[in-house]
Amino acid sequence: MKKPDNHILVIFGASGDLTFRKLIPAVYDLHKQELLPEKFAVVGASRTDLSDEKFREKMKDGIKKFANYKEDNEQVVNDFLKKISYISVDTEKKEDFQKLKNHLLKLDNDLGTDGNVIYYLSTPPSLYGVIPCLLGEAGLNNNENGSWKKLIVEKPFGYDLESALELNKKLSKYFKEDQIYRIDHYLGKETVQNILVTRFSNGVFEPLWNRNYVHHVEITSVENIGIENRGGYYDSSGALRDMVQNHLLQLTGLISMEPPSSFDSNAIRNEIVKVFQSFRPFNGRDIQKYSIRGQYTSTTIKGEKVPGYREEKGVEKESRTESYVAMKLFIDNWRWGGVPFYIRTGKRMPTKVTEVVIHFKRTPHFLFSNQNQVNSCNQLILRIQPDEGVLLKVGMKVPGQGFNIQNVNLDFHYSDLSNAYLPTAYERLLHDCMIGDSTLYQRADAVEAAWKFVDPILKAWKNDHNIPVYGYPAGTWGPEKADEMIEGKNMTWRYPCKNLEGDGIYCEL
Ligand code: BG6
């Protein structure tokens, strides 16, 4: 594995949850694998007044709870913590950026980090446009004298098409596109990257990967948790912005893109953008026909009352924000013309699962008596999480008289690999940024193309109150209405497990 250049990682929003749960544990895991440069430091920056010691203590707790590598020897963690310092920075005060500059200069002089810096924006989105400008004005943005500066931005990249364009404009004022790394943690998942390997390293799948052999594609990413303590954010966002515009469309891009000319970051990202540009736009009545939104309602699961979406803290009592989206979309290009892509996401579903199912077309002529009853379409299931793996469903003869067939699974689980170490998404992505590989980061044009597709749906859902918000009891697979979406005889969504036992019924809000 390539070692990154010496550098300093500055995390803005360092007192927040992401730093504690994901970022510092990921940096620690990189340290344990000796994937950090020899000369390296982390600077936590946020508004809160904290001493280095207090910040380190908190980070230590995060490492203990969330790092992949569990360490019995306290001293090992303590040694790592010496690389971390903290500085309080108020974005309202320009002088704080001078203070930051001095801090970075001192660290650079003491450690010899060659002037290289990564700035990680893990702050509320309202600061995404502000911090890069303040860094620029303080002269902290330029690649100079052979050093580099990079900027990592967390999602959401804007709120709609207009704000995304505006944000990209602000970011590009002081940072060039090749300095900007827009993170979508789904792309950092090992199994998401395996989509490319499954497709482009196996001669057996690629010839079938098109409208001639694929009946439809189903992409699911659902969770059993509700919105937890994120009511304020979630109610102004909703599932379409929170999951579809980014994670689900990225998955769709990887599944449907053309083979890139090489495994180069721009070659891959060029193909993904082309997919986004080929999404058939939803116009007028299409929106109601091809997209469904839902909201979980309160129910009792296994004797315990589960609150409905509107009863969650931070959510408006009359909120029409969706916690569930199902959508049927088409990619109007040579490869996929006419093949529906069904995508769905939701909170408070019966389980947590993310998977892609390629449903192949049936054989053209039924030879066996019960072929019609067993679902004789072959399915390739790429299991992103949990129980990561790949599953191919094929028809096999039931032993005994006659020619009865049944579906069986040809099954691969990552957990069967004895040496499988699955790095967390943040570990993978942070390391990629450190070595300057932006393949798994989103480019400005892709973000804009994704918003362009989603924007008319957002607008229609906001403005047209005749478009229903379907209720679904917490712990079920979402509104029944979504089942009607899937075209084809005996075709339904794939339900990896049953509804949880509840007393709710489907209703329209
Ligand atoms: C985040 C969303 O981007 O992804 C969350 O904001 C969601 O609402 C999360 O829970 C899901 O990520 P994962 O990796 O747990 O599937």
Side-chain angles (χ1 to χ4, degrees):
M1 280 276 243
K2 203 170 154 190
K3 270 234 185 196
D5 297 339
N6 297 327
H7 68 276
I8 303 173
L9 169 66
V10 180
I11 304 177
F12 287 98
S15 56
D17 234 28
L18 188 73
T19 310
F20 170 71
R21 284 169 177 267
K22 304 278 185 189
L23 301 181
I24 294 293
V27 176
Y28 175 75
D29 284 333
L30 290 174
H31 164 73
K32 289 293 291 181
Q33 295 163 82
E34 298 181 5
L35 288 173
L36 293 178
E38 197 189 324
K39 292 155 185 175
F40 172 76
V42 179
V43 177
S46 65
R47 216 179 158 127
T48 324
D49 223 359
L50 275 180
S51 65
D52 284 347
E53 276 325 302
K54 276 264 167 287
F55 185 62
R56 285 180 187 146
E57 247 171 59
K58 188 173 169 196
M59 295 305 111
K60 188 173 183 175
D61 195 25
I63 290 169
K64 281 191 178 155
K65 286 191 177 127
F66 302 110
N68 265 335
Y69 283 86
K70 300 294 168 211
E71 183 59 68
D72 296 333
N73 185 348
E74 189 99 352
Q75 196 49 45
V76 174
V77 182
N78 289 344
D79 285 345
F80 168 76
L81 291 171
K82 287 183 194 147
K83 296 177 189 292
I84 301 181
S85 59
Y86 180 83
I87 180 164
S88 85
V89 173
D90 184 341
T91 48
E92 310 261 297
K93 295 186 190 151
K94 275 195 180 176
E95 61 272 23
D96 277 9
F97 280 75
Q98 271 312 319
K99 203 171 78 182
L100 174 67
K101 189 174 184 174
N102 296 338
H103 187 68
L104 295 180
L105 277 175
K106 179 161 186 330
L107 277 175
D108 190 28
N109 276 334
D110 293 352
L111 299 174
T113 46
D114 304 329
N116 301 324
V117 189
I118 297 178
Y119 303 105
Y120 196 117
L121 302 189
S122 161
T123 60
S126 55
L127 296 177
Y128 291 175
V130 178
I131 294 174
C133 284
L134 291 166
L135 288 171
E137 284 165 16
L140 286 167
N141 58 324
N142 288 326
N143 294 340
E144 40 189 23
N145 309 325
S147 72
W148 48 253
K149 309 286 182 300
K150 296 171 189 167
L151 181 71
I152 304 184
V153 191
E154 265 294 329
K155 75 166 241 287
F157 315 114
Y159 185 76
D160 54 12
L161 178 61
E162 203 185 325
S163 57
L165 290 168
E166 185 62 26
L167 175 63
N168 280 338
K169 211 161 120 193
K170 283 187 181 154
L171 293 178
S172 63
K173 188 163 176 212
Y174 287 104
F175 289 85
K176 300 205 175 72
E177 182 59 27
D178 62 7
Q179 291 179 282
I180 304 172
Y181 291 71
R182 294 174 191 80
I183 209 165
D184 181 318
H185 79 277
Y186 264 56
L187 295 182
K189 291 181 194 279
E190 198 65 27
T191 40
V192 171
Q193 293 150 38
N194 190 44
I195 294 174
L196 293 176
V197 178
T198 306
R199 287 192 57 194
F200 301 131
S201 78
N202 293 299
V204 68
F205 296 126
E206 198 48 28
L208 308 178
W209 213 265
N210 56 51
R211 67 181 189 289
N212 296 320
Y213 299 100
V214 175
H215 184 269
H216 67 275
V217 178
E218 187 183 337
I219 302 178
T220 294
S221 184
V222 297
E223 296 171 280
N224 45 359
I225 53 169
I227 53 167
E228 304 202 287
N229 50 4
R230 300 160 77 215
Y233 151 76
Y234 197 90
D235 204 35
S236 61
S237 167
L240 189 59
R241 287 188 179 93
D242 188 50
M243 291 292 290
V244 176
Q245 188 275 340
N246 34 68
H247 308 324
L248 286 177
L249 293 189
Q250 285 294 334
L251 286 176
T252 311
L254 291 174
I255 287 293
S256 59
M257 68 192 257
E258 291 301 314
S261 56
S262 69
F263 210 70
D264 160 81
S265 131
N266 267 332
I268 293 177
R269 298 191 303 172
N270 286 345
E271 297 307 333
I272 292 183
V273 173
K274 283 189 214 159
V275 172
F276 291 179
Q277 290 166 341
S278 310
F279 287 147
R280 186 184 300 169
F282 284 2
N283 293 317
R285 291 188 62 78
D286 290 349
I287 291 172
Q288 215 164 319
K289 194 163 154 205
Y290 295 132
S291 67
I292 284 173
R293 56 176 167 171
Q295 208 182 66
Y296 58 84
T297 54
S298 109
T299 186
T300 306
I301 298 174
K302 294 181 181 148
E304 226 173 89
K305 182 164 183 316
V306 178
Y309 177 76
R310 291 178 180 180
E311 295 153 47
E312 299 275 18
K313 208 167 138 221
V315 169
E316 297 271 336
K317 293 285 158 269
E318 299 284 302
S319 172
R320 291 176 66 79
T321 299
E322 74 289 351
S323 59
Y324 172 96
V325 177
M327 205 183 264
K328 176 176 180 177
L329 56 92
F330 289 95
I331 299 170
D332 285 339
N333 66 15
W334 205 267
R335 183 184 285 264
W336 294 113
V339 178
F341 280 68
Y342 298 99
I343 60 182
R344 69 179 159 163
T345 182
K347 299 273 187 199
R348 286 263 186 244
M349 303 264 114
T351 186
K352 178 171 175 74
V353 62
T354 300
E355 62 175 28
V356 176
V357 189
I358 312 291
H359 295 258
F360 291 97
K361 287 184 176 168
R362 283 165 185 258
T363 50
H365 177 59
F366 296 152
L367 285 178
F368 305 107
S369 51
N370 73 338
Q371 186 163 349
N372 217 359
Q373 284 120 47
V374 290
N375 190 351
S376 62
C377 305
N378 297 120
Q379 295 172 5
L380 178 70
I381 300 163
L382 305 172
R383 190 72 179 226
I384 309 295
Q385 64 183 22
D387 190 13
E388 292 80 359
V390 179
L391 179 75
L392 181 64
K393 285 188 173 284
V394 293
M396 286 283 162
K397 181 178 179 300
V398 177
Q401 296 299 312
F403 275 93
N404 282 338
I405 55 170
Q406 75 177 64
N407 269 339
V408 296
N409 298 337
L410 306 181
D411 215 350
F412 159 71
H413 300 265
Y414 269 79
S415 54
D416 293 343
L417 295 176
S418 57
N419 58 349
Y421 170 78
L422 290 187
T424 61
Y426 281 96
E427 201 179 319
R428 167 69 200 241
L429 292 171
L430 274 170
H431 187 258
D432 278 2
C433 173
M434 289 175 182
I435 60 172
D437 182 350
S438 52
T439 311
L440 301 175
Y441 284 88
Q442 297 191 57
R443 224 168 46 187
D445 52 354
V447 171
E448 287 167 14
W451 276 120
K452 198 166 166 195
F453 172 67
V454 161
D455 217 45
I457 311 169
L458 283 173
K459 293 215 165 79
W461 283 1
K462 180 165 176 235
N463 300 328
D464 185 350
H465 277 228
N466 292 322
I467 301 179
V469 180
Y470 295 97
Y472 62 96
T476 65
W477 278 102
E480 267 180 347
K481 187 81 186 159
D483 289 335
E484 294 168 16
M485 236 183 193
I486 310 271
E487 260 176 60
K489 202 171 158 209
N490 300 333
M491 297 277 178
T492 61
W493 294 94
R494 200 175 103 85
Y495 292 110
C497 77
K498 299 238 165 65
N499 285 346
L500 295 178
E501 198 183 295
D503 64 0
I505 43 154
Y506 292 100
C507 56
E508 193 177 309
L509 295 175

